[in-house]
Amino acid sequence: MHPTPDSASSIGVPTATSAAASAFDVGLAAELAAGAGELLVKLRAELGFADRRALKDAGDRLADDYLLGRLAAERPGDAVLSEEGKGEQGRVGTERLGADRVWIIDPLDGTREFSEEGRDDWAVHVALWQRGLGLTAAAVALPAEGVTLRSDLLYDVPEARSAPPRIAVSRTRPPAEATAAAAALGAELVPMGSAGAKVMAVVAGTVDAYVHSGGQFEWDSAAPVGVALASDWHASRIDGSPLRYNNADPYLPDLLVCRPDLAEPLLDAIRGTH
């Protein structure tokens, strides 16, 4: 990735289509993700790690309140789907399923990692879905690293390489599909924390793919997928079908994000497990 010349907290370079990509919405998404992240970093320092459950709960509340409050002020006519609504309609203004614009947010992705001292693989997700267009704005903050990735910046897709692929997986429950794909491709499994951190590791080139099949919701992937797709990385369900957002049921159980040249080999290996 190239560093942006005018901001230490965002990385990437402007795309040629930035002006047409809902610049105000992407800017707001990045501002909100970074702002929530700054609050979470301060909360970590204030509360410490002695009571991890209390830290998790306080972090969820703090970030959710901040994001909902800012969206109510900045985009009062838009709807919101937040993890903290637990699949219920979190909303600002209009009804979510009938709305033309829905913000899909995960105020604290990776609460386990957030509550563990020294870990930086947790994130804040802010994405905008628009009817007929899909995801049109997205930002993922990695607050402990001090960076925010956004969908109006270009993150270079590397050339195909001969080294064995590295596949990001859950720290606690690597899916069978990832294990099978790793065996088929001679790949290495790399345990990591939150979904946002894993997808951004793909975009950063730290790993080559992220395979997940253990159950997720729309807020787990919307913003990371929005950032990845904007730079032409591959993102799909593990059967190769498109990812759809703002559904009545926000359950979206599986995900593949990877270098484009790895998509078909990975999908073929995954299909062999079903």
Side-chain angles (χ1 to χ4, degrees):
M1 291 181 294
H2 303 294
T4 184
D6 58 357
S7 173
S9 62
S10 293
I11 48 180
V13 295
T15 67
T17 58
S18 291
S22 189
F24 287 118
D25 288 327
V26 181
L28 179 62
E31 179 185 339
L32 296 190
E38 290 174 5
L39 293 175
L40 289 168
V41 168
K42 291 177 182 177
L43 182 69
R44 256 181 148 195
E46 291 169 0
L47 294 187
F49 301 89
D51 187 338
R52 291 176 55 192
R53 170 50 60 189
L55 180 59
K56 291 178 184 179
D57 291 345
D60 280 334
R61 287 194 304 271
L62 178 68
D64 194 52
D65 287 348
Y66 170 80
L67 292 175
L68 291 179
R70 287 294 308 275
L71 285 169
E74 302 285 347
R75 300 290 190 273
D78 294 354
V80 180
L81 173 63
S82 171
E83 179 186 12
E84 296 313 300
K86 302 302 181 189
E88 306 254 335
Q89 174 175 318
R91 65 181 182 275
V92 178
T94 54
E95 294 291 323
R96 176 172 73 85
L97 296 179
D100 291 330
R101 292 166 50 92
V102 180
W103 293 88
I104 303 174
I105 62 174
D106 191 341
L108 176 49
D109 180 53
T111 53
R112 174 180 175 178
E113 289 72 28
F114 173 74
S115 71
E116 294 180 15
E117 187 171 7
R119 295 205 70 96
D120 60 9
D121 47 348
W122 51 278
V124 178
H125 301 175
V126 180
L128 174 65
W129 172 94
Q130 293 192 69
R131 187 172 305 281
L133 298 174
L135 299 173
T136 58
V140 177
L142 301 172
E145 297 183 24
V147 297
T148 299
L149 293 89
R150 45 194 285 173
S151 58
D152 61 348
L153 298 181
L154 176 65
Y155 303 99
D156 296 334
V157 177
E159 297 291 333
R161 53 190 182 183
S162 58
R166 290 164 56 85
I167 302 175
V169 294
S170 167
R171 292 172 61 196
T172 57
R173 48 189 184 282
E177 291 86 352
T179 302
L185 301 180
E188 175 189 357
L189 297 182
V190 182
M192 297 179 66
S194 76
K198 294 187 191 79
V199 177
M200 295 305 96
V202 176
V203 171
T206 306
V207 297
D208 302 290
Y210 168 38
V211 178
H212 178 81
S213 67
Q216 287 184 345
F217 292 87
E218 291 185 13
W219 46 76
D220 292 304
S221 66
V225 163
V227 171
L229 288 176
S231 286
D232 293 328
W233 295 80
H234 174 87
S236 71
R237 301 284 302 272
I238 61 171
D239 63 1
S241 61
L243 293 153
R244 309 288 188 190
Y245 292 92
N246 197 37
N247 300 294
D249 182 354
Y251 186 61
L252 193 58
D254 53 70
L255 175 67
L256 169 65
V257 180
C258 64
R259 293 191 346 236
D261 63 292
L262 282 177
E264 282 307 314
L266 282 168
L267 289 169
D268 287 344
I270 290 168
R271 290 184 188 109
T273 68
H274 292 264

